Every structure is written in structure tokens, then in C-alpha cells.
Amino acid sequence: MCEIIFSRIFLGFPVLLLWMAGGLAHAACPLELNPPRLVVRYGDSVSVNCSTSSTDHEGMGWEATFGGTGLETDVMVVTWTVKNLTDWTIQPKCHITSKDGEQCLVTFPVILYKTPDRVSISVLNHSGPMVEGTQYQLQCDIQNIAPLQNLVVKWYKGNKLLDNVIYSNVNKRPENVSATLMISPSRNDDGDQYRCRAELDLGPEGPQPHPTVTSEPLNITVHYAPEFLPENNTVEVSAGSDVSLDCSAEGNPPPELRWTNNTAEGNAIETTVGRLRTLNISRVTANATYNCTVTNRLGSITKQIHVLVDVPPQQHPTMFSTAPSSPGTMTTLPGTAKPKVVTFPLELNSPRVVVRYGDSVSVKCNTSSTDHDGMGWEATFGGTSVEQDVNVVTWTVDNLTDWTIEPKCYINLNDGEQPSIELPVILYKTPDRVSISVLNHSGPMVKGTQYHLQCDIQNIAPLQNLVVKWYKGNEPLDIVTYSNVSKRPEDLSATLMISPNRNDDGAQYRCRAELDLGPEGPQPHPTVTSEPLSMTVHYPPTFSRPEAENHLDIRVGEVITLNCTATGRPPPEYRWQSSDFQEALFTPPSEVPGTYTCTAYNQIGEISKTFTVNPKPKGDRTTFWVIIGLGLGLAIVVVIVYVVVKHRAGPNSII
């Protein structure tokens, strides 16, 4: 900005003091900077020339906390030089003084930058493998970087760009900053690498390519529930032939496998660990169905493989076992002696129960079979012994606190079989506490900057039934669900990214933990809501009136007020060019028309507006003719009144 001081009165009328150069008068500050703007790495040297085309001056120089010069006479160029620039707030100014003692100056824009000491990536509030479908927050910590408003944080998965984060904070000094990225990994992300990069985009004057520092890669391991690989679930064989059944599945951790085949001769079970599983069956003589169950800590799935024999069996097959024929091959199981259709003899009056931790529970198991040798419940709590001559047995617990309980009702049939049915129990607990906070930040927020709100939920179960809801006032913002399969209580954190604006100042955010336990669960859903988090948003000043107000005419002795009122948070302060006045309303002296620049500023930013006050021309006789016209009109009125009164009073009357 070029600052010009005006202060002269000629023949009692204010005029602008003009620079005289080459015989032509102009109001521009006759200074030129080379380069006009500079980007400097912290600690590097800097050198800038300030030149003038004016020969009508007393001298020129530089004002600066470092590298300033005195007033140099008889020169056309002065140089500002610093060998080791370390002043983050430096604002060097080149100034020139005219023969009449007037001074103008220009401020040289300097951007001092520093690349970060370290950039690192981590997973917030989590360690170890991730679970497919669960949300996680990656955090990029950037240490000691400046200036923040030129920072761009880039997120990568492998070489794929995922997201860009920019900052509107205006701060020249180095800061520590953290950026976050929300991910919900799938099984395809297992083994992927994530990186974050801090890049300083310093404009065309800055170094090219942009200075960057990249984190070390973060390798992620994703755990996921088992899934069967595509294959045929029906096998046709000739009577007496051998058959191999395949049950291939993948999962992480690698799932364990269990084969079952209920026959009249008993129940054969084998278990192995691996991906390709083969069950060899010798001399199959009858149709049979085999169950293959694969399990890891994230889930369990079962499928049936049907063996169809194309010729009725003539005799029972010989039953024997052989060693595995290849890696991943299981022990041989006997073929089914005879196809047998059995109607399942047990029924629960509640096929599924939802119980609050510590409450009581009671479920009946009944049978329509009269051909049995007793029935009962098997459970860690509330189990019963075999009861004879009954069609109903009841499982009852007064105070259920076993998170992993799996009660089973069983019946002993007279043919020696023991069918059973498992009762699915969901034991739930509402959280001890739900709280909301701002991650890695305290105090007021800045308009346009990204922040992460964190909702901390303590001691809740089961996690797979949790729904986290975010609100601003009463407005729903986001819903987060979880695929983690965990029966025991856990602590959990959910996050929400926001970028507040000035309208959010004073807004209240809340998060709510809700347990959706299905139709068997309590209605409405059990919920616990955090206390509200009130936002304070800081933003730079803005003017409610135009930024430039021109053609304000003023005559000597007249009074005008220049209005520089602005809104901002924190409330802005004011400064007027070439004046110590620091209020929003400024009354300039009528003797000094000219250009007045006002700046409203706070710690977030600043904005300026210009008032141009023009002297009314000397030939402006508008007021004079108005006064003359009013006088003539008044005289005419007086004459008319006199004539009327004289006429009514008669010619000899004295008025």
C-alpha cells in the first residue's frame, strides 16, 4: 500500500500536495520494488531494491526491524538486505521524502516459510489389526511448519490421492498441526499402505516444485469374517464309490473348520486349520448331507454339501479312516448308512431374547415328541438336569451377567440321538458416559478451518448394535454404525469432521449413543446423549457498507464523519492511514481533503476501505444563489403584504 501524507493550505483553500516529477503533478507514490514480492526460507538471505524516478526528493531509505537503512540522499535506489532472515513478522517499508517535507512509503510483502521438522501418520484410539467395515481415523501430525495458510495436506493410499486438506488460519509463526482422514477398510485393503504429505504452496514466487515432507507409510492389516469360495454344493457319485468334498473359504485371521455328519452310527467331527479343506469319504452307498462350518473371531458360516448316489445301496459301506492324501485334506468320515428324514423335535417360545445386563430371563423349551428319554437345558447359568416325562423345560436366570452365555435345550431320543437347539441371547448395557470434545484443539475455532469432534462412549455392549448419531442443535448431521462383533462391553470413539462458518458461532453440538437391538429389544431404543458442546467461531472483519466510498465533497468549515464500522470475532480494532486515530468513526479536518484509508483488523485477518474526500470547486456558487433566491422571495412577500394592508387602511393612513 502506498501511503501519502497531505497537509497544505493555499490562499485559505485546502489543496492536495502533489509530487512533482518531470514537470507533471501526480498523486502516486513514486517508488518501485524489485522484486515486488518475495518468498524466503527461514534463515536464508534476502535482498530487495527500492527505486524512484523522482529527482525532486530529499532522500529515501528502508524501515525494518532488521536490515533498515538511514535516509540516503542523492540516490535513486536503496537496497534492503538481510543475510539470515529469522523475523517471522517483519514488514520492511521503503520510504521517500519530498522537497516539501512530505513522505510516502510502500510495504514490501515477505513470506517467510519453514518445512516441518517431522510428518508422521497413526491410527487414532486404535492399535493392532482393523476390522472390515469399521470406521477408523488416521491422523497426520505435522510438527513446526509455517505459514499455516499455505499448507496443503495430501492423503494417499499407495499412489492414489485420497484427499486434500487446506487451512484458512492466518499465522506467520511455526505451528504444530494435525489433519485426519476417516476410512472404513474392506478386505481388499488388507496390506495397503497409507501416507500423508505436508506441502507448502507458496504461489508463483515460491520454490517449484512445492516444498514437501512425506510420512513413513502406515501398513494396515484388515481382519474380516470368513467367506466361502464359489464351488458346487451338490456332488453326484455312483454307489460304492469314494468321494471328496471341498469346503474352501477365506478369512482373516484364517478360519478354523468343522465337518459334521449326523448318522445312525453316531456323529463324526474333525477340525483343521487352513484354506483348502477336503473331506474324503469312502464307499458311499446312500444319499447324505454334510455340514461344513468355518469360524474365526469375527464370525462363523455354515454350508451344506449334498452327496447324491445314483444307485440304491445294497449293503452298508465299510467304515474306516485314512490319513490325509494332501495338505489341507481331512480325515475320512464314514458314509451315511441310510437316508433318514427327521422332524426336529424342539421349539423355543422365544426364538431370540434381548436382556439388559443384570436383569432376569426365562425361556421355555417344549417338544411334541413322546418318544424321548428326558430333556433339559445346558448353560453356564440356569442349566437343568435331565427331566423325565415332561414336554416343557424352562431356563431361568435371576441376574444374567454372563456376556458369552449360549444356553442349549436338548432332548434324549429313544434311538440314542440327542438333538439340541441353541437360544440366541443378546446381553446389552448402556454406556456409563458419553462425552464430546474437539480433537487436538482448545479455545475458539476459526472460520473455514477443519476440526474433528470426538464422541467418547464408555463401557457399552454389544458394539454391533450401536448407532452413534451427531446433532447440531436439533439438526441430525451424521449416523455411524459398527460391524465389530463383540459381546463384551468396550470403550469407543466416533468422530465428525466440521468446517464452521460465522453462522455457527454459538451453535451447540451433541452426540448420542443408541442401541438398536431389533424388534425383540426395548422400544424406543436405549440412548445416552452427551452434554452439548458450545462453539465459539472466530472470523475476520467484514464491512456492512461499501469498501470504497468516493466523491464525498467537503467545504472549509463543514463536518463529515467517515464510517469504518466492521463486524468480526474477536471484535475488530481500527487504524487510519497517517493518523493515530483508532476508532471506527473518523471526522477528518475540513482543511485537509484527500484519500483516507481505514483498516479493520483482528487476529484472524484484516480488511481495508478507502474514502475519497474532494474539495468543492471555488466556482461552486450554489449556496450563494439559494440565499439570493430566498432573499428575493421574502422581499416580494413583504411588498405584497404592505400593499394589501395600505389599500385596506386608506391612502391617508399611516402604517
Side-chain angles (χ1 to χ4, degrees):
M1 179 185 296
C2 180
E3 301 179 1
I4 307 176
I5 301 175
F6 304 88
S7 179
R8 284 294 181 273
I9 301 177
F10 181 70
L11 296 178
F13 193 87
V15 296
L16 297 178
L17 175 67
L18 303 178
W19 284 97
M20 304 301 296
L24 298 175
H26 59 88
C29 192
L31 295 174
E32 183 178 355
L33 301 175
N34 185 26
R37 180 175 178 267
L38 200 59
V39 176
V40 186
R41 186 173 61 182
Y42 181 81
D44 278 4
S45 62
V46 58
S47 180
V48 181
N49 289 329
C50 177
S51 60
T52 182
S53 57
S54 172
T55 57
D56 186 24
H57 69 85
E58 291 287 345
M60 56 192 299
W62 282 92
E63 292 179 9
T65 51
F66 297 94
T69 68
L71 187 67
E72 299 185 23
T73 59
D74 301 324
V75 295
M76 304 292 285
V77 179
V78 286
T79 303
W80 174 62
T81 302
V82 179
K83 292 183 178 180
N84 180 17
L85 188 58
T86 58
D87 184 353
W88 293 104
T89 60
I90 198 166
Q91 291 183 326
K93 295 178 175 67
C94 180
H95 58 87
I96 188 169
T97 304
S98 72
K99 291 289 187 183
D100 296 325
E102 301 301 330
Q103 185 185 77
C104 77
L105 55 84
V106 290
T107 300
F108 178 63
V110 178
I111 296 180
L112 193 58
Y113 76 90
K114 180 188 177 301
T115 55
D117 297 339
R118 183 171 181 264
V119 176
S120 60
I121 186 174
S122 60
V123 186
L124 272 178
N125 306 308
H126 180 79
S127 61
M130 298 180 176
V131 175
E132 181 180 43
T134 301
Q135 286 190 326
Y136 298 91
Q137 196 167 38
L138 307 185
Q139 179 165 297
C140 184
D141 293 309
I142 304 165
Q143 296 179 5
N144 212 25
I145 189 171
L148 195 59
Q149 60 266 31
N150 295 91
L151 172 63
V152 180
V153 179
K154 296 184 176 181
W155 289 94
Y156 294 88
K157 183 173 74 171
N159 293 318
K160 178 184 177 183
L161 178 64
L162 299 177
D163 195 18
N164 282 340
V165 182
I166 58 176
Y167 296 83
S168 61
N169 306 49
V170 179
N171 192 350
K172 294 183 176 182
R173 299 180 181 276
E175 293 188 49
N176 296 333
V177 66
S178 295
T180 56
L181 177 72
M182 188 78 72
I183 64 171
S184 182
S186 70
R187 61 189 62 202
N188 296 326
D189 297 320
D190 186 39
D192 279 348
Q193 291 186 332
Y194 285 81
R195 293 174 294 119
C196 64
R197 174 177 295 167
E199 181 175 313
L200 283 171
D201 184 352
L202 298 158
E205 298 88 355
Q208 304 296 330
H210 302 155
T212 62
V213 178
T214 305
S215 70
E216 291 293 322
L218 173 72
N219 293 289
I220 67 167
T221 299
V222 182
H223 281 184
Y224 48 92
E227 183 179 60
F228 289 116
L229 299 180
E231 57 193 353
N232 191 353
N233 294 331
T234 301
V235 180
E236 296 183 1
V237 296
S238 300
S241 301
D242 298 340
V243 66
S244 295
L245 306 183
D246 183 60
C247 182
S248 298
E250 62 178 8
N252 198 10
E256 295 185 354
L257 175 140
R258 184 176 70 173
W259 286 98
T260 60
N261 171 34
N262 294 321
T263 69
E265 288 77 15
N267 188 19
I269 299 175
E270 292 289 340
T271 303
T272 188
V273 177
R275 179 176 175 182
L276 291 174
R277 280 77 170 223
T278 301
L279 179 68
N280 294 326
I281 308 172
S282 60
R283 301 182 189 177
V284 177
T285 58
N287 296 343
T289 298
Y290 293 83
N291 299 317
C292 170
T293 301
V294 289
T295 305
N296 65 13
R297 67 181 185 85
L298 297 179
S300 179
I301 52 176
T302 300
K303 74 170 183 178
Q304 292 183 330
I305 301 178
H306 304 284
V307 178
L308 303 180
V309 180
D310 59 359
V311 176
Q314 300 299 317
Q315 59 183 6
H316 294 302
T318 302
M319 293 176 287
F320 61 91
S321 297
T322 64
S325 60
S326 62
T329 299
M330 291 191 57
T331 304
T332 300
L333 294 181
T336 301
K338 292 181 180 179
K340 183 177 182 180
V341 178
V342 178
T343 301
F344 197 74
L346 296 175
E347 184 180 1
L348 302 174
N349 70 326
S350 297
R352 180 174 177 265
V353 292
V354 176
V355 186
R356 186 174 62 181
Y357 181 82
D359 279 4
S360 62
V361 60
S362 181
V363 177
K364 292 181 178 180
C365 176
N366 58 70
T367 182
S368 57
S369 171
T370 56
D371 186 23
H372 70 84
D373 195 26
M375 56 190 300
W377 281 93
E378 181 181 301
T380 50
F381 296 94
T384 67
S385 57
V386 177
E387 298 184 28
Q388 305 287 342
D389 302 323
V390 295
N391 290 321
V392 178
V393 286
T394 303
W395 174 65
T396 301
V397 178
D398 292 332
N399 179 19
L400 187 58
T401 58
D402 184 352
W403 293 104
T404 60
I405 197 164
E406 294 180 343
K408 293 179 183 178
C409 177
Y410 63 90
I411 186 170
N412 294 327
L413 299 179
N414 288 335
D415 61 5
E417 292 190 10
Q418 189 189 67
S420 64
I421 184 171
E422 183 176 309
L423 171 67
V425 177
I426 296 180
L427 192 59
Y428 76 90
K429 179 187 178 303
T430 56
D432 296 338
R433 183 171 181 264
V434 176
S435 60
I436 186 174
S437 60
V438 186
L439 268 179
N440 305 308
H441 179 80
S442 61
M445 297 182 175
V446 176
K447 170 195 170 186
T449 302
Q450 287 187 328
Y451 299 91
H452 282 85
L453 306 185
Q454 179 164 297
C455 184
D456 292 310
I457 304 166
Q458 296 180 4
N459 212 25
I460 189 171
L463 199 58
Q464 59 267 30
N465 296 90
L466 172 63
V467 180
V468 179
K469 296 183 177 181
W470 289 94
Y471 295 87
K472 182 174 74 173
N474 293 319
E475 176 191 359
L477 297 178
D478 196 18
I479 294 177
V480 183
T481 59
Y482 296 85
S483 61
N484 306 48
V485 179
S486 176
K487 293 184 176 182
R488 298 180 182 275
E490 294 188 37
D491 295 340
L492 179 78
S493 295
T495 57
L496 176 72
M497 181 178 288
I498 64 170
S499 181
N501 59 41
R502 62 180 60 203
N503 296 327
D504 294 322
D505 186 39
Q508 291 188 330
Y509 286 79
R510 293 172 295 119
C511 64
R512 174 177 295 167
E514 182 175 313
L515 283 172
D516 183 354
L517 298 158
E520 299 89 357
Q523 306 296 330
H525 302 155
T527 62
V528 178
T529 305
S530 70
E531 291 293 321
L533 175 69
S534 297
M535 296 290 180
T536 299
V537 181
H538 281 184
Y539 48 91
T542 56
F543 293 121
S544 56
R545 301 178 65 176
E547 294 185 13
E549 300 182 24
N550 298 317
H551 310 301
L552 300 176
D553 295 335
I554 185 172
R555 187 184 298 280
V556 176
E558 291 182 343
V559 177
I560 62 171
T561 299
L562 307 182
N563 190 346
C564 187
T565 303
T567 58
R569 189 169 173 91
E573 300 180 58
Y574 302 91
R575 62 174 178 263
W576 290 84
Q577 176 184 308
S578 305
S579 172
D580 294 332
F581 195 72
Q582 296 181 345
E583 301 295 333
L585 302 178
F586 177 56
T587 302
S590 61
E591 295 82 3
V592 190
T595 301
Y596 295 86
T597 299
C598 161
T599 300
Y601 64 95
N602 60 18
Q603 67 188 50
I604 309 302
E606 64 179 44
I607 189 172
S608 297
K609 68 189 298 186
T610 299
F611 301 87
T612 301
V613 181
N614 301 313
K616 289 185 178 179
K618 290 182 179 179
D620 183 4
R621 296 183 176 270
T622 303
T623 304
F624 171 78
W625 288 113
V626 169
I627 294 173
I628 294 298
L630 290 174
L632 289 174
L634 181 60
I636 292 171
V637 171
V638 171
V639 170
I640 292 173
V641 171
Y642 175 80
V643 171
V644 172
V645 172
K646 182 69 175 177
H647 176 74
R648 289 182 178 178
N652 298 321
S653 61
I654 299 175
I655 298 177

